Amino acid sequence: MVLNQVMVIDGGFATQLTVHVGTSVDGDPLWSARFNSTNPSAIVKTHLDFLQAGADAIITNTYQASVEGYMKHLELDEEQSIELIKSTVRLAQLARNKFLAEANPAPKEVPWIVASIGPYGAHLHDGSEYTGEYAEKVDADVIKKWHRVRIEAVVEAGVDGFAIETIPCRLEAEALIELMAEEYPEVKYWLAFQCKDGESIAHGENFADTCREIWTKAKECSNIVAIGTNCVNPRIVTPLFKAVNASYPDDQKLPLVVYPNSGETYTVEGGWEGKEDCTPLEGYVAEWITLGAKIIGGCCRTYARDIERIKKHVENL
């Protein structure tokens, strides 16, 4: 996983999945991860949508997949839960194989399969992945132990790297880079924070300072390829990235990753609102690349059609 040019990744998996399952998954404690068991063909079709749209990498549908969640909400045992996580990686592999067999012309590079490693808070189903409040309640060892089971499963299933994503607090970021350095030093990954505004990550730590300090620690092992943010309003990305890179010469700029949501806001009462006020993501791409973005895609409320437009925009640049 070497970033010599801008990589376009996929978009909001749960969003695109609705095209095939016909219903929103918002509010489900397993979110889109339920369909890994109940409708695996829809998982394959969703990955294919993004590959056909031009994505250079697809992210496995494992963000909300956990042993605890599957045992509680699908009534599986621990072994069955781990096997379901592994089989989810195999669904991405199946989609990539199908895409490569049918693509005409064939892509210049084989798309990557990147395992989604969502935050500790995701399995709590209490919104804490957007606040990081559990940083005051659990320590780094608890977080490492929880992540280790999923990480081991996706490594055994075979992936090209990790998307450590929507991380809301510095405690969890540091725990994860330590885990990667100590136990998975050969696995490439990027780390993306959840942010609450154009200055701070969700738990309140300064974004630019955190990125610089985490990057310095992670580069001692050299398997981190980018750092940045995901599932945030695209309007706050530019100030976040300027704070990280604008005052540095090109050779000292950090390689950044960004895959924001559409810019809509979500409320429990009204669902997603404000689409009419959103700027298409491709409108931000040129500026983000200037600021050091090397990996660009979409998150919640972004579809395959959005990735297709981002890809064309990047190619035109």
Side-chain angles (χ1 to χ4, degrees):
M1 188 184 283
V2 180
L3 300 178
N4 295 321
Q5 56 190 12
V6 175
M7 168 182 281
V8 176
I9 61 175
D10 57 10
F13 192 91
T15 301
Q16 186 64 27
L17 180 65
T18 62
V19 173
H20 302 291
V21 300
T23 182
S24 172
V25 300
D26 295 328
D28 188 326
L30 290 178
W31 202 35
S32 60
R34 182 179 299 276
F35 292 89
N36 297 333
S37 172
T38 62
N39 196 341
S41 65
I43 303 299
V44 174
K45 290 175 183 176
T46 303
H47 283 311
L48 272 171
D49 291 342
F50 287 122
L51 289 168
Q52 291 165 351
D56 302 310
I58 53 174
I59 301 175
T60 62
N61 188 37
T62 50
Y63 176 88
Q64 200 93 350
S66 69
V67 171
E68 294 88 343
Y70 282 149
M71 291 177 70
K72 180 177 180 179
H73 299 291
L74 288 182
E75 298 183 350
L76 303 179
D77 62 27
E78 182 175 0
E79 184 178 346
Q80 291 169 327
S81 299
I82 292 172
E83 181 54 37
L84 181 53
I85 293 171
K86 292 179 181 179
S87 71
T88 302
V89 174
R90 291 192 284 268
L91 294 176
Q93 293 167 344
L94 181 62
R96 180 173 67 178
N97 291 341
K98 184 175 176 60
F99 169 71
L100 292 173
E102 298 175 354
N104 186 18
K108 295 178 182 178
E109 303 285 344
V110 175
W112 296 346
I113 294 175
V114 183
S116 172
I117 307 297
Y120 178 86
H123 88 285
L124 301 175
H125 193 57
D126 60 1
S128 58
E129 71 261 47
Y130 297 103
T131 65
E133 62 183 29
Y134 51 88
E136 283 99 41
K137 302 174 184 177
V138 299
D139 62 24
D141 288 338
V142 170
I143 289 176
K144 285 181 183 180
K145 182 179 179 180
W146 182 82
H147 277 292
R148 188 178 284 111
V149 177
R150 287 191 310 163
I151 288 176
E152 193 64 33
V154 296
V155 168
E156 288 183 13
V159 293
D160 299 308
F162 293 169
I164 299 176
E165 53 187 5
T166 329
I167 302 302
C169 54
R170 179 167 176 158
L171 171 72
E172 186 164 17
E174 290 182 334
L176 280 162
I177 66 166
E178 288 173 6
L179 182 64
M180 294 300 294
E182 294 165 0
E183 301 181 29
Y184 306 97
E186 301 304 317
V187 180
K188 301 296 184 182
Y189 69 95
W190 69 72
L191 192 151
F193 288 102
Q194 169 59 216
C195 298
K196 65 178 182 178
D197 53 37
E199 182 178 346
S200 305
I201 65 176
H203 189 245
E205 297 93 336
N206 180 272
F207 175 78
D209 291 344
T210 302
C211 283
R212 285 269 163 192
E213 290 164 16
I214 290 290
W215 182 264
T216 299
K217 290 181 179 180
K219 282 305 286 182
E220 293 176 2
C221 181
S222 80
N223 54 338
I224 189 171
V225 297
I227 195 166
T229 186
N230 76 292
C231 206
V232 298
N233 190 305
R235 288 192 291 271
I236 72 171
V237 174
T238 294
L240 288 169
F241 281 8
K242 281 183 176 179
V244 175
N245 274 342
S247 62
Y248 289 86
D250 287 347
D251 63 347
Q252 294 179 30
K253 283 182 168 59
L254 301 189
L256 299 174
V257 54
V258 55
Y259 42 118
N261 57 44
S262 65
E264 298 167 68
T265 56
Y266 181 79
T267 63
V268 175
E269 300 80 16
W272 291 97
E273 301 173 343
K275 186 173 180 60
E276 64 279 2
D277 300 321
C278 296
T279 299
L281 292 186
E282 64 270 19
Y284 297 96
V285 166
E287 184 172 40
W288 292 345
I289 291 175
T290 299
L291 290 169
K294 295 294 186 181
I295 303 172
I296 301 176
C299 204
C300 295
R301 300 294 291 170
T302 63
Y303 291 86
R305 60 178 177 266
D306 297 299
I307 299 307
E308 184 174 14
R309 290 198 295 267
I310 290 173
K311 177 74 172 200
K312 289 180 178 177
H313 199 79
V314 168
E315 289 177 336
N316 289 337
L317 288 174

